[in-house]
Every structure is written in structure tokens, then in C-alpha cells.
Amino acid sequence: MSEEKEGGSIKGAIIGGVTLLITTVTGVVATKFESIFGDKEEPKTEVVQPAAQPQQIVINNSQPQQASSGGTKTVIVKEKAAAEKPKPKTAKEEMEEAPKW
């Protein structure tokens, strides 16, 4: 029984090696054919310009702006109390709770 397993692993290693060899040879042959029969043009070179620096925008709010209609606007701000966050559940409460699927 153990001899069959050893033979199978050796057989698998040989098949893997042959597959790797065929793949490598195919890649080399394809590269050679491309260099022989490929385009004879000179490689194109691209000139890359450095990226333009972003403009810095400065907003100065020291002067009050007037309304476009010539009048003044009244803004009413209503404050609300923030809702209280619920207390976090304990580990025991989480275990007792049914799963939410």
C-alpha cells in the first residue's frame, strides 16, 4: 500500500517537472520568434511631464458678506438636546439574544 503512494508521488513530481519544462520552452520559443519576426521599429519613448502643483485656495471670512437683495437675512438656530446613546449590551445579554439572520 505504501509503495503505491510513493509511486504516485514520484509520478506526480515527474509530470509536474515535464509540464514546467514544456511551459518554459514554449515561452522561450515565443520570445525568439517575436524578436526574429516582430516589428523592426525603434521603441517609442514617451516624455513624462511632472504633475502640476495644485493651486492653494485661501478663503478669508473676516469681512461680512451682504445679501444680494440688499436686505439682511435673519437666521434662527434651534438647539436640540442630543439623544442619549443606549447602554452597551453585556456579554450575557448578547448570548441570550436570538441571532439576527
Side-chain angles (χ1 to χ4, degrees):
M1 190 83 161
S2 65
E3 292 177 11
E4 290 179 12
K5 289 183 181 180
E6 287 180 19
S9 64
I10 292 173
K11 183 179 177 182
I14 292 173
I15 291 173
V18 169
T19 304
L20 179 64
L21 180 67
I22 291 172
T23 305
T24 305
V25 168
T26 304
V28 170
V29 168
T31 305
K32 293 293 182 184
F33 273 123
E34 185 176 313
S35 66
I36 293 171
F37 299 113
D39 294 333
K40 299 292 181 181
E41 297 178 10
E42 294 181 19
K44 297 179 182 178
T45 56
E46 294 183 20
V47 178
V48 179
Q49 296 179 350
Q53 296 178 351
Q55 295 179 349
Q56 185 177 8
I57 299 173
V58 178
I59 299 174
N60 190 357
N61 288 333
S62 62
Q63 298 175 349
Q65 295 180 357
Q66 295 180 353
S68 61
S69 63
T72 60
K73 293 183 179 180
T74 304
V75 179
I76 300 173
V77 178
K78 294 182 179 180
E79 294 185 16
K80 286 186 168 181
E84 293 183 23
K85 294 182 181 178
K87 66 174 187 167
K89 295 182 180 181
T90 61
K92 184 177 180 182
E93 290 174 343
E94 289 179 2
M95 295 294 278
E96 292 173 354
E97 193 173 288
K100 298 176 184 176
W101 291 346

